[in-house]
Amino acid sequence: MYIPTQKERYSKVAWYTLLLCMMLPSGLVAWAYGDFTSFAWCACAFLLPMTHLLVWTGASFGGAVMISSVFHSIAFFWLAKRCRWKPKTRLTVAVTYGMFTALILRLMIAYFVWKSVVGN
C-alpha cells in the first residue's frame, strides 16, 4: 500500500478546501446551537462575528453583512490565489481562521443566551 509523503500530501491545496476550512467550523457551531435551522444560515455563519461587531458600532444589519462578506471574500481570494505561501501554510492559516471565527461565534451565542436568562 502506497502512503504519500507529507510533501506530496500538501503539494496542492484546492480552493474549495480552503473555503471549507474557513466556513465549516462556524457552520457546525451554528448548526449545533440549533437556532439556525436553515442551510443558508449555517453556510453564512462565518459572517456573523464581524457583522455583529459592525452592528454594535452603529451600522445597519444589511450594510454590515455586505461589508463582512466583502472583507471575507477579499481575504479568501488573497489566500487562495495571490498568496505565495506554501500550501501547508495556507491550509494552516485557513483552518486557524475558521476555528477563530467559530470560537467568536460560540462566545457570541453564549453571551446572547446568558443575556436572555439574566434578562438585562
Side-chain angles (χ1 to χ4, degrees):
M1 183 166 127
Y2 176 70
I3 300 173
T5 64
Q6 185 175 11
K7 185 177 180 181
E8 291 171 340
R9 277 183 281 172
Y10 292 109
S11 64
K12 202 175 201 184
V13 176
W15 64 269
Y16 53 85
T17 304
L18 294 173
L19 184 65
L20 285 176
C21 288
M22 291 174 71
M23 291 176 58
L24 195 61
S26 296
L28 288 175
V29 167
W31 174 77
Y33 176 60
D35 195 29
F36 302 101
T37 55
S38 71
F39 176 74
W41 272 107
C42 291
C44 296
F46 71 103
L47 298 173
L48 291 178
M50 184 180 287
T51 299
H52 282 288
L53 178 68
L54 292 170
V55 167
W56 286 338
T57 59
S60 67
F61 185 76
V65 168
M66 284 191 277
I67 291 170
S68 178
S69 62
V70 166
F71 173 79
H72 283 82
S73 62
I74 289 171
F76 170 73
F77 178 75
W78 175 78
L79 186 64
K81 301 291 181 188
R82 306 297 288 167
C83 185
R84 296 183 190 242
W85 292 337
K86 296 177 186 174
K88 185 177 180 181
T89 307
R90 290 189 297 160
L91 190 60
T92 303
V93 168
V95 168
T96 304
Y97 181 78
M99 295 302 269
F100 182 69
T101 56
L103 173 68
I104 293 173
L105 182 63
R106 179 64 187 123
L107 292 174
M108 285 173 40
I109 289 170
Y111 173 75
F112 289 137
V113 168
W114 180 74
K115 287 290 267 186
S116 68
V117 168
V118 172
N120 278 341

